[in-house]
PDB file of all heavy atoms in Angstrom:
ATOM      1  N   VAL J 278     -15.914  25.748  30.446  1.00 94.00           N
ATOM      2  CA  VAL J 278     -16.064  25.577  29.067  1.00 94.00           C
ATOM      3  C   VAL J 278     -15.110  24.392  28.548  1.00 94.00           C
ATOM      4  O   VAL J 278     -15.544  23.665  27.703  1.00 94.00           O
ATOM      5  CB  VAL J 278     -15.887  26.787  28.228  1.00 94.00           C
ATOM      6  CG1 VAL J 278     -14.304  27.252  28.150  1.00 94.00           C
ATOM      7  CG2 VAL J 278     -16.291  26.659  26.793  1.00 94.00           C
ATOM      8  N   LEU J 279     -14.005  24.414  29.246  1.00 95.00           N
ATOM      9  CA  LEU J 279     -13.130  23.235  28.871  1.00 95.00           C
ATOM     10  C   LEU J 279     -13.738  21.804  29.263  1.00 95.00           C
ATOM     11  O   LEU J 279     -13.538  20.862  28.530  1.00 95.00           O
ATOM     12  CB  LEU J 279     -11.674  23.361  29.443  1.00 95.00           C
ATOM     13  CG  LEU J 279     -10.851  24.515  28.888  1.00 95.00           C
ATOM     14  CD1 LEU J 279      -9.637  24.731  29.685  1.00 95.00           C
ATOM     15  CD2 LEU J 279     -10.604  24.319  27.413  1.00 95.00           C
ATOM     16  N   ALA J 280     -14.394  21.802  30.330  1.00 96.00           N
ATOM     17  CA  ALA J 280     -14.997  20.530  30.757  1.00 96.00           C
ATOM     18  C   ALA J 280     -16.149  20.188  29.824  1.00 96.00           C
ATOM     19  O   ALA J 280     -16.343  19.008  29.373  1.00 96.00           O
ATOM     20  CB  ALA J 280     -15.653  20.710  32.212  1.00 96.00           C
ATOM     21  N   TRP J 281     -16.919  21.206  29.274  1.00 95.00           N
ATOM     22  CA  TRP J 281     -17.919  20.899  28.254  1.00 95.00           C
ATOM     23  C   TRP J 281     -17.359  20.423  26.893  1.00 95.00           C
ATOM     24  O   TRP J 281     -17.866  19.538  26.273  1.00 95.00           O
ATOM     25  CB  TRP J 281     -18.781  22.108  28.037  1.00 95.00           C
ATOM     26  CG  TRP J 281     -19.878  22.323  29.041  1.00 95.00           C
ATOM     27  CD1 TRP J 281     -19.942  23.273  30.118  1.00 95.00           C
ATOM     28  CD2 TRP J 281     -21.050  21.573  29.150  1.00 95.00           C
ATOM     29  NE1 TRP J 281     -21.063  23.083  30.762  1.00 95.00           N
ATOM     30  CE2 TRP J 281     -21.800  22.070  30.245  1.00 95.00           C
ATOM     31  CE3 TRP J 281     -21.606  20.529  28.456  1.00 95.00           C
ATOM     32  CZ2 TRP J 281     -22.952  21.585  30.742  1.00 95.00           C
ATOM     33  CZ3 TRP J 281     -22.787  19.943  28.867  1.00 95.00           C
ATOM     34  CH2 TRP J 281     -23.494  20.523  29.927  1.00 95.00           C
ATOM     35  N   LEU J 282     -16.217  21.043  26.636  1.00 96.00           N
ATOM     36  CA  LEU J 282     -15.483  20.594  25.369  1.00 96.00           C
ATOM     37  C   LEU J 282     -14.998  19.192  25.556  1.00 96.00           C
ATOM     38  O   LEU J 282     -14.993  18.359  24.468  1.00 96.00           O
ATOM     39  CB  LEU J 282     -14.396  21.579  25.012  1.00 96.00           C
ATOM     40  CG  LEU J 282     -14.931  22.969  24.529  1.00 96.00           C
ATOM     41  CD1 LEU J 282     -13.801  23.910  24.334  1.00 96.00           C
ATOM     42  CD2 LEU J 282     -15.807  22.806  23.362  1.00 96.00           C
ATOM     43  N   ARG J 283     -14.403  18.853  26.711  1.00 97.00           N
ATOM     44  CA  ARG J 283     -14.078  17.428  26.869  1.00 97.00           C
ATOM     45  C   ARG J 283     -15.286  16.381  26.816  1.00 97.00           C
ATOM     46  O   ARG J 283     -15.101  15.407  26.126  1.00 97.00           O
ATOM     47  CB  ARG J 283     -13.400  17.232  28.249  1.00 97.00           C
ATOM     48  CG  ARG J 283     -11.976  17.742  28.342  1.00 97.00           C
ATOM     49  CD  ARG J 283     -11.319  17.400  29.683  1.00 97.00           C
ATOM     50  NE  ARG J 283     -11.995  17.807  30.837  1.00 97.00           N
ATOM     51  CZ  ARG J 283     -11.877  18.998  31.422  1.00 97.00           C
ATOM     52  NH1 ARG J 283     -10.972  19.874  30.983  1.00 97.00           N
ATOM     53  NH2 ARG J 283     -12.500  19.354  32.542  1.00 97.00           N
ATOM     54  N   THR J 284     -16.435  16.904  27.340  1.00 95.00           N
ATOM     55  CA  THR J 284     -17.622  16.074  27.166  1.00 95.00           C
ATOM     56  C   THR J 284     -17.964  15.938  25.716  1.00 95.00           C
ATOM     57  O   THR J 284     -18.347  14.837  25.261  1.00 95.00           O
ATOM     58  CB  THR J 284     -18.786  16.727  27.931  1.00 95.00           C
ATOM     59  OG1 THR J 284     -18.426  16.868  29.323  1.00 95.00           O
ATOM     60  CG2 THR J 284     -20.070  15.981  27.777  1.00 95.00           C
ATOM     61  N   SER J 285     -17.790  17.000  24.928  1.00 96.00           N
ATOM     62  CA  SER J 285     -18.195  17.022  23.437  1.00 96.00           C
ATOM     63  C   SER J 285     -17.188  15.927  22.827  1.00 96.00           C
ATOM     64  O   SER J 285     -17.679  15.208  21.978  1.00 96.00           O
ATOM     65  CB  SER J 285     -17.939  18.339  22.923  1.00 96.00           C
ATOM     66  OG  SER J 285     -18.096  18.367  21.526  1.00 96.00           O
ATOM     67  N   LEU J 286     -15.893  15.998  23.169  1.00 97.00           N
ATOM     68  CA  LEU J 286     -14.926  15.103  22.561  1.00 97.00           C
ATOM     69  C   LEU J 286     -15.308  13.607  22.878  1.00 97.00           C
ATOM     70  O   LEU J 286     -15.198  12.676  22.059  1.00 97.00           O
ATOM     71  CB  LEU J 286     -13.540  15.456  23.130  1.00 97.00           C
ATOM     72  CG  LEU J 286     -12.445  14.632  22.491  1.00 97.00           C
ATOM     73  CD1 LEU J 286     -12.353  14.738  20.985  1.00 97.00           C
ATOM     74  CD2 LEU J 286     -11.042  15.033  23.078  1.00 97.00           C
ATOM     75  N   ALA J 287     -15.701  13.449  24.149  1.00 97.00           N
ATOM     76  CA  ALA J 287     -16.068  12.091  24.631  1.00 97.00           C
ATOM     77  C   ALA J 287     -17.290  11.585  23.810  1.00 97.00           C
ATOM     78  O   ALA J 287     -17.403  10.360  23.388  1.00 97.00           O
ATOM     79  CB  ALA J 287     -16.322  12.023  26.028  1.00 97.00           C
ATOM     80  N   LEU J 288     -18.241  12.512  23.633  1.00 96.00           N
ATOM     81  CA  LEU J 288     -19.409  12.082  22.821  1.00 96.00           C
ATOM     82  C   LEU J 288     -19.085  11.753  21.367  1.00 96.00           C
ATOM     83  O   LEU J 288     -19.640  10.810  20.747  1.00 96.00           O
ATOM     84  CB  LEU J 288     -20.465  13.211  22.830  1.00 96.00           C
ATOM     85  CG  LEU J 288     -21.188  13.394  24.118  1.00 96.00           C
ATOM     86  CD1 LEU J 288     -21.921  14.751  24.158  1.00 96.00           C
ATOM     87  CD2 LEU J 288     -22.083  12.256  24.471  1.00 96.00           C
ATOM     88  N   MET J 289     -18.198  12.494  20.779  1.00 96.00           N
ATOM     89  CA  MET J 289     -17.710  12.203  19.486  1.00 96.00           C
ATOM     90  C   MET J 289     -16.991  10.888  19.333  1.00 96.00           C
ATOM     91  O   MET J 289     -17.201  10.039  18.493  1.00 96.00           O
ATOM     92  CB  MET J 289     -16.827  13.250  18.911  1.00 96.00           C
ATOM     93  CG  MET J 289     -16.459  13.139  17.451  1.00 96.00           C
ATOM     94  SD  MET J 289     -15.481  14.535  16.803  1.00 96.00           S
ATOM     95  CE  MET J 289     -16.434  15.938  17.125  1.00 96.00           C
ATOM     96  N   ALA J 290     -16.071  10.516  20.381  1.00 96.00           N
ATOM     97  CA  ALA J 290     -15.451   9.298  20.445  1.00 96.00           C
ATOM     98  C   ALA J 290     -16.477   8.147  20.645  1.00 96.00           C
ATOM     99  O   ALA J 290     -16.309   7.145  19.901  1.00 96.00           O
ATOM    100  CB  ALA J 290     -14.387   9.275  21.626  1.00 96.00           C
ATOM    101  N   ALA J 291     -17.519   8.354  21.332  1.00 93.00           N
ATOM    102  CA  ALA J 291     -18.504   7.386  21.498  1.00 93.00           C
ATOM    103  C   ALA J 291     -19.192   7.067  20.158  1.00 93.00           C
ATOM    104  O   ALA J 291     -19.439   5.924  19.789  1.00 93.00           O
ATOM    105  CB  ALA J 291     -19.599   7.800  22.592  1.00 93.00           C
ATOM    106  N   GLY J 292     -19.502   8.097  19.422  1.00 93.00           N
ATOM    107  CA  GLY J 292     -20.125   7.934  18.068  1.00 93.00           C
ATOM    108  C   GLY J 292     -19.279   7.176  17.195  1.00 93.00           C
ATOM    109  O   GLY J 292     -19.705   6.224  16.431  1.00 93.00           O
ATOM    110  N   VAL J 293     -17.980   7.453  17.082  1.00 93.00           N
ATOM    111  CA  VAL J 293     -16.979   6.770  16.254  1.00 93.00           C
ATOM    112  C   VAL J 293     -17.009   5.221  16.803  1.00 93.00           C
ATOM    113  O   VAL J 293     -17.005   4.347  15.984  1.00 93.00           O
ATOM    114  CB  VAL J 293     -15.616   7.330  16.279  1.00 93.00           C
ATOM    115  CG1 VAL J 293     -14.646   6.450  15.543  1.00 93.00           C
ATOM    116  CG2 VAL J 293     -15.704   8.694  15.580  1.00 93.00           C
ATOM    117  N   ALA J 294     -16.908   5.032  17.931  1.00 92.00           N
ATOM    118  CA  ALA J 294     -16.696   3.722  18.552  1.00 92.00           C
ATOM    119  C   ALA J 294     -17.933   2.832  18.256  1.00 92.00           C
ATOM    120  O   ALA J 294     -17.815   1.690  17.880  1.00 92.00           O
ATOM    121  CB  ALA J 294     -16.566   3.783  20.138  1.00 92.00           C
ATOM    122  N   VAL J 295     -19.180   3.494  18.406  1.00 88.00           N
ATOM    123  CA  VAL J 295     -20.323   2.657  18.046  1.00 88.00           C
ATOM    124  C   VAL J 295     -20.296   2.219  16.608  1.00 88.00           C
ATOM    125  O   VAL J 295     -20.556   1.108  16.309  1.00 88.00           O
ATOM    126  CB  VAL J 295     -21.596   3.551  18.393  1.00 88.00           C
ATOM    127  CG1 VAL J 295     -22.860   2.844  17.784  1.00 88.00           C
ATOM    128  CG2 VAL J 295     -21.857   3.651  19.890  1.00 88.00           C
ATOM    129  N   VAL J 296     -19.964   3.057  15.812  1.00 88.00           N
ATOM    130  CA  VAL J 296     -19.936   2.748  14.290  1.00 88.00           C
ATOM    131  C   VAL J 296     -18.826   1.839  13.880  1.00 88.00           C
ATOM    132  O   VAL J 296     -19.005   0.802  13.149  1.00 88.00           O
ATOM    133  CB  VAL J 296     -19.934   4.007  13.448  1.00 88.00           C
ATOM    134  CG1 VAL J 296     -19.783   3.749  11.938  1.00 88.00           C
ATOM    135  CG2 VAL J 296     -21.269   4.804  13.667  1.00 88.00           C
ATOM    136  N   GLN J 297     -17.596   2.055  14.435  1.00 87.00           N
ATOM    137  CA  GLN J 297     -16.424   1.418  13.939  1.00 87.00           C
ATOM    138  C   GLN J 297     -16.079   0.116  14.748  1.00 87.00           C
ATOM    139  O   GLN J 297     -15.615  -0.856  14.175  1.00 87.00           O
ATOM    140  CB  GLN J 297     -15.247   2.239  14.011  1.00 87.00           C
ATOM    141  CG  GLN J 297     -15.410   3.441  12.998  1.00 87.00           C
ATOM    142  CD  GLN J 297     -15.328   2.917  11.590  1.00 87.00           C
ATOM    143  OE1 GLN J 297     -14.580   2.082  11.177  1.00 87.00           O
ATOM    144  NE2 GLN J 297     -16.181   3.541  10.776  1.00 87.00           N
ATOM    145  N   PHE J 298     -16.376   0.052  15.984  1.00 80.00           N
ATOM    146  CA  PHE J 298     -15.831  -0.963  16.807  1.00 80.00           C
ATOM    147  C   PHE J 298     -16.952  -1.924  17.425  1.00 80.00           C
ATOM    148  O   PHE J 298     -16.621  -2.752  18.263  1.00 80.00           O
ATOM    149  CB  PHE J 298     -15.000  -0.424  17.969  1.00 80.00           C
ATOM    150  CG  PHE J 298     -13.840   0.406  17.460  1.00 80.00           C
ATOM    151  CD1 PHE J 298     -13.778   1.815  17.805  1.00 80.00           C
ATOM    152  CD2 PHE J 298     -12.936  -0.139  16.667  1.00 80.00           C
ATOM    153  CE1 PHE J 298     -12.771   2.525  17.355  1.00 80.00           C
ATOM    154  CE2 PHE J 298     -11.833   0.669  16.185  1.00 80.00           C
ATOM    155  CZ  PHE J 298     -11.738   1.925  16.509  1.00 80.00           C
ATOM    156  N   VAL J 299     -18.208  -1.654  17.056  1.00 78.00           N
ATOM    157  CA  VAL J 299     -19.304  -2.523  17.547  1.00 78.00           C
ATOM    158  C   VAL J 299     -19.995  -3.123  16.330  1.00 78.00           C
ATOM    159  O   VAL J 299     -21.233  -2.843  16.278  1.00 78.00           O
ATOM    160  CB  VAL J 299     -20.149  -1.787  18.551  1.00 78.00           C
ATOM    161  CG1 VAL J 299     -21.160  -2.656  19.217  1.00 78.00           C
ATOM    162  CG2 VAL J 299     -19.384  -0.852  19.535  1.00 78.00           C
ATOM    163  N   PRO J 300     -19.413  -3.744  15.436  1.00 74.00           N
ATOM    164  CA  PRO J 300     -20.070  -4.123  14.199  1.00 74.00           C
ATOM    165  C   PRO J 300     -21.124  -5.217  14.399  1.00 74.00           C
ATOM    166  O   PRO J 300     -22.057  -5.291  13.597  1.00 74.00           O
ATOM    167  CB  PRO J 300     -18.929  -4.620  13.295  1.00 74.00           C
ATOM    168  CG  PRO J 300     -17.839  -5.000  14.284  1.00 74.00           C
ATOM    169  CD  PRO J 300     -18.027  -4.144  15.508  1.00 74.00           C
ATOM    170  N   LEU J 301     -21.071  -6.030  15.488  1.00 71.00           N
ATOM    171  CA  LEU J 301     -22.016  -6.985  15.596  1.00 71.00           C
ATOM    172  C   LEU J 301     -23.270  -6.756  16.508  1.00 71.00           C
ATOM    173  O   LEU J 301     -24.189  -7.461  16.669  1.00 71.00           O
ATOM    174  CB  LEU J 301     -21.323  -8.285  16.225  1.00 71.00           C
ATOM    175  CG  LEU J 301     -20.138  -8.854  15.434  1.00 71.00           C
ATOM    176  CD1 LEU J 301     -19.536 -10.002  16.151  1.00 71.00           C
ATOM    177  CD2 LEU J 301     -20.668  -9.209  14.038  1.00 71.00           C
ATOM    178  N   LEU J 302     -23.384  -5.487  16.870  1.00 70.00           N
ATOM    179  CA  LEU J 302     -24.358  -4.993  17.747  1.00 70.00           C
ATOM    180  C   LEU J 302     -25.567  -4.326  16.907  1.00 70.00           C
ATOM    181  O   LEU J 302     -25.393  -3.238  16.474  1.00 70.00           O
ATOM    182  CB  LEU J 302     -23.914  -4.021  18.841  1.00 70.00           C
ATOM    183  CG  LEU J 302     -24.923  -3.702  19.958  1.00 70.00           C
ATOM    184  CD1 LEU J 302     -25.384  -4.905  20.686  1.00 70.00           C
ATOM    185  CD2 LEU J 302     -24.216  -2.667  20.859  1.00 70.00           C
ATOM    186  N   GLY J 303     -26.617  -5.109  16.764  1.00 69.00           N
ATOM    187  CA  GLY J 303     -27.751  -4.451  16.031  1.00 69.00           C
ATOM    188  C   GLY J 303     -27.562  -4.351  14.541  1.00 69.00           C
ATOM    189  O   GLY J 303     -26.581  -4.733  13.946  1.00 69.00           O
ATOM    190  N   ARG J 304     -28.557  -3.769  13.896  1.00 77.00           N
ATOM    191  CA  ARG J 304     -28.560  -3.628  12.456  1.00 77.00           C
ATOM    192  C   ARG J 304     -27.591  -2.525  12.162  1.00 77.00           C
ATOM    193  O   ARG J 304     -27.474  -1.457  12.897  1.00 77.00           O
ATOM    194  CB  ARG J 304     -29.955  -3.263  12.013  1.00 77.00           C
ATOM    195  CG  ARG J 304     -30.807  -4.446  12.180  1.00 77.00           C
ATOM    196  CD  ARG J 304     -32.088  -4.157  11.464  1.00 77.00           C
ATOM    197  NE  ARG J 304     -32.931  -5.398  11.471  1.00 77.00           N
ATOM    198  CZ  ARG J 304     -34.276  -5.482  11.809  1.00 77.00           C
ATOM    199  NH1 ARG J 304     -34.903  -4.278  12.024  1.00 77.00           N
ATOM    200  NH2 ARG J 304     -34.899  -6.616  11.762  1.00 77.00           N
ATOM    201  N   PRO J 305     -26.936  -2.515  10.978  1.00 82.00           N
ATOM    202  CA  PRO J 305     -26.017  -1.422  10.635  1.00 82.00           C
ATOM    203  C   PRO J 305     -26.720   0.002  10.633  1.00 82.00           C
ATOM    204  O   PRO J 305     -26.110   0.951  11.002  1.00 82.00           O
ATOM    205  CB  PRO J 305     -25.576  -1.769   9.240  1.00 82.00           C
ATOM    206  CG  PRO J 305     -25.720  -3.334   9.185  1.00 82.00           C
ATOM    207  CD  PRO J 305     -26.880  -3.654  10.008  1.00 82.00           C
ATOM    208  N   ALA J 306     -27.982   0.077  10.082  1.00 83.00           N
ATOM    209  CA  ALA J 306     -28.609   1.349  10.079  1.00 83.00           C
ATOM    210  C   ALA J 306     -28.827   1.952  11.415  1.00 83.00           C
ATOM    211  O   ALA J 306     -28.707   3.096  11.655  1.00 83.00           O
ATOM    212  CB  ALA J 306     -29.988   1.222   9.260  1.00 83.00           C
TER     213      ALA J 306
END
């Protein structure tokens, strides 16, 4: 369960990274 929760945290970090740190990639929407 801790491994799955780490995976969940990594997915959340990926979501934040895509929105906040990749501003020039594709359309904002």
Side-chain angles (χ1 to χ4, degrees):
V278 74
L279 291 172
W281 278 106
L282 292 174
R283 283 190 302 272
T284 301
S285 173
L286 183 60
L288 289 166
M289 189 177 301
V293 170
V295 166
V296 172
Q297 294 296 318
F298 302 119
V299 191
L301 300 177
L302 186 60
R304 295 187 171 138

